[in-house]
Amino acid sequence: MKSIVSAETDVSDIRKARALLRNVTQTNRKHAPGWLAYARVEVTAGKISRARNIIMEGCAACPQDEDVWLEAATLHPPDQARSILAQAVGKIPKSVKLWIRAAELERDGEAKKAVLRRALEFIPNSVQLWKNTIMLEQEDDARVMLSRAVECVPSSEDLWLALAHLETYDNAKRVLNKARQAIPMSHAIWVAAAKLEETHGKIGMIGHIVVNALKSLKHKVSIERETWLKEAVSCEKSGSPLTCQAIVRATLG
């Protein structure tokens, strides 16, 4: 369908494509790509109003297809797009893409947060929704939300590390210990623990943690030496040279 119309399509080709896609959508009204292509033909022809009518007809015919709803939102002005997406999430409440687009269309931060928090009620296991929501929060609220996020998505390395980053030293250690239990094959969590000790001047703990990491992970997952060395380089670049040195010694020694 996508190849039917190009930016330089002449009038004759547009007419042919329009006739073909009109037939496609009438013959198989549940075929979402047909509606998308049909609307885009009209956009190419400069018939925006007609394209909007077609894509809304597509939404009615394919209410469970998120791409049709997203196209409809794209083709309409923001106020109408918000209304369209409100309908869309009512039809497909577990569509992460629809909720994120709905939040993007809101004008102020509080409205964006309200949309995303509502989305999390329907999709609490979406890492992307948690990340987008937390980005809008102040530090204290972000910490609270991250605590809830790791309960809902305990397999997310990024969420655990973000939570540890916002915590005090003692709390961060507890968070990383819980993270290791939740994701026992993650080397990044061990590295974060070593970097935490370096940041707080606990130099003697760094090598101990790295050695324990290699011993523990050896029995759970195969991590190539190159991966550890890349992690060491990353540590040095991020301001943790002692963690970098400990990784190099442990992997090459």
Side-chain angles (χ1 to χ4, degrees):
M1 293 293 180
K2 292 181 181 178
S3 63
I4 291 176
V5 180
S6 69
E8 299 179 354
T9 306
D10 59 27
V11 173
S12 175
D13 286 341
I14 286 176
R15 286 174 179 166
K16 291 176 183 177
R18 180 182 288 142
L20 171 61
L21 291 166
R22 183 186 299 116
N23 181 63
V24 168
T25 54
Q26 296 309 309
T27 302
N28 184 359
R29 296 187 64 76
K30 298 296 183 182
H31 185 60
W35 290 105
L36 290 167
Y38 192 8
R40 288 167 185 170
V41 164
E42 300 303 343
V43 172
T44 301
K47 306 292 185 180
I48 300 301
S49 179
R50 185 182 295 176
R52 289 171 179 167
N53 290 335
I54 288 168
I55 201 64
M56 291 311 297
E57 193 175 348
C59 290
C62 308
Q64 296 301 309
D65 191 284
E66 65 181 8
D67 290 332
V68 176
W69 286 106
L70 288 168
E71 187 75 9
T74 298
L75 292 178
H76 285 79
D79 286 343
Q80 290 175 271
R82 281 193 287 273
S83 177
I84 288 167
L85 289 170
Q87 296 177 56
V89 296
K91 299 290 185 181
I92 322 174
K94 291 188 179 294
S95 169
V96 174
K97 288 182 181 179
L98 290 175
W99 283 107
I100 287 177
R101 184 66 184 126
E104 289 173 348
L105 285 173
E106 293 297 339
R107 293 188 179 91
D108 65 82
E110 290 304 315
K112 291 178 187 291
K113 286 193 284 188
V115 171
L116 291 170
R117 288 183 175 184
R118 179 63 172 161
L120 286 167
E121 293 178 17
F122 291 97
I123 327 170
N125 62 342
S126 169
V127 174
Q128 191 59 56
L129 282 176
W130 281 110
K131 286 182 176 180
N132 285 30
T133 306
I134 290 161
M135 283 175 59
L136 298 172
E137 302 289 350
Q138 296 298 318
E139 185 172 313
D140 288 343
D141 289 335
R143 186 185 301 111
V144 172
M145 292 205 72
L146 279 166
S147 296
R148 175 60 178 155
V150 296
E151 291 177 5
C152 294
V153 199
S155 60
S156 173
E157 192 177 83
D158 288 347
L159 294 176
W160 282 109
L161 294 176
L163 176 58
H165 181 72
L166 292 179
E167 290 286 6
T168 62
Y169 170 66
D170 288 333
N171 285 342
K173 287 202 297 183
R174 282 191 282 270
V175 166
L176 292 173
N177 283 332
K178 289 180 180 178
R180 277 201 296 267
Q181 294 170 14
I183 318 173
M185 293 185 290
S186 169
H187 69 280
I189 292 170
W190 283 96
V191 172
K195 291 169 70 175
L196 176 69
E197 300 298 339
E198 180 171 355
T199 299
H200 289 84
K202 311 292 185 178
I203 309 304
M205 291 296 296
I206 299 170
H208 177 69
I209 290 172
V210 171
V211 169
N212 280 348
L214 267 69
K215 287 180 180 178
S216 175
L217 294 170
K218 181 179 180 181
H219 302 293
K220 298 170 184 174
V221 62
S222 176
I223 301 177
E224 295 182 356
R225 179 178 294 175
E226 288 73 15
T227 300
W228 281 112
L229 294 179
K230 287 180 181 178
E231 196 69 60
V233 172
S234 176
C235 288
E236 186 171 36
K237 288 181 178 179
S238 65
S240 300
L242 299 181
T243 303
C244 166
Q245 293 168 20
I247 293 172
V248 171
R249 283 196 301 269
T251 53
L252 297 182

